[in-house]
Amino acid sequence: MLHIEFITDLGARVTVDVESADKLLDVQRQYGRLGWTTGDIPSGGYQFPFDNEPDFDWNLIGARKWTSPDGEELIIHRGHAYRRRELEAVDSRKMKLPAAVKYSRGAKNTDPDHVREKADGEFEYVTLAIFRGGKRQERYAIPGSRPAAASPRPAPAPAGRAQPQARPAPAAVADEETPF
């Protein structure tokens, strides 16, 4: 039997028993949907493979996607909103880095020093997650999803016959609510 400690969205610490290691991510998803986390953000943010970014399951870290009234897609984690930033590949004599996608926000006075990163000038920020390099891992994807590049294209409609139009799925109520 494994034990995993969560911090609830109200700050309480709860220990949950997990039958086996193969059930661990399912339990993290279950409690992550409630906004519960398993600890603090590591220095530099969580690191994931680049190809996992389009269908990453944010529940694994107790976060969720949210669209602002202005239409901007954000990631909400412990009451903070993180923006998506695309980083170009770096190829210099000193450093070689592949392209990346980073979710970050401006640092606050209450953020611990180990998570603060310096930018140009005096600006500091906190990275929640960075997707760079590596090989895609299905265990990080939303269950049942397919990466955008691998999804099959719909077959063209036969000529002469009108095809019924699919209705868009109703939006979940939770996505409509202000997250904080």
Side-chain angles (χ1 to χ4, degrees):
M1 180 85 49
L2 302 172
H3 307 286
I4 185 169
E5 184 175 278
F6 288 97
I7 302 168
T8 71
D9 54 339
L10 297 176
R13 294 190 181 275
V14 176
T15 302
V16 176
D17 293 335
V18 181
E19 293 175 23
S20 60
D22 63 327
K23 302 283 186 207
L24 185 62
L25 291 179
D26 293 334
V27 171
Q28 281 187 250
R29 281 184 174 92
Q30 176 185 352
Y31 290 96
R33 280 186 202 94
L34 302 173
W36 296 16
T37 61
T38 56
D40 296 324
I41 300 170
S43 180
Y46 294 99
Q47 310 283 316
F48 299 106
F50 183 80
D51 291 340
N52 277 104
E53 194 269 336
D55 64 345
F56 180 72
D57 189 352
W58 292 101
N59 291 323
L60 289 170
I61 61 171
R64 68 183 176 95
K65 283 187 176 185
W66 180 71
T67 303
S68 74
D70 298 333
E72 183 178 14
E73 286 194 13
L74 303 167
I75 300 300
I76 304 299
H77 182 264
R78 287 191 169 177
H80 297 288
Y82 294 83
R83 286 184 165 77
R84 183 181 191 274
R85 304 174 200 300
E86 293 184 14
L87 306 177
E88 294 181 12
V90 175
D91 190 2
S92 69
R93 288 188 310 193
K94 292 182 179 182
M95 193 180 339
K96 258 187 181 351
L97 293 171
V101 174
K102 177 185 244 186
Y103 288 85
S104 61
R105 64 171 173 81
K108 298 178 180 171
N109 294 342
T110 55
D111 291 321
D113 287 339
H114 76 277
V115 297
R116 293 169 174 253
E117 298 174 51
K118 300 265 188 220
D120 294 337
E122 295 183 22
F123 186 75
E124 293 182 323
Y125 59 94
V126 174
T127 298
L128 174 63
I130 187 163
F131 296 84
R132 172 182 278 145
K135 184 179 176 187
R136 178 177 171 77
Q137 296 187 36
E138 289 302 320
R139 65 192 181 128
Y140 295 144
I142 296 169
S145 71
R146 292 183 180 196
S151 12
R153 295 177 188 233
R161 242 194 299 166
Q163 294 294 313
Q165 293 289 328
R167 289 189 212 170
V173 174
D175 291 340
E176 301 285 329
E177 298 173 4
T178 302
F180 35 127

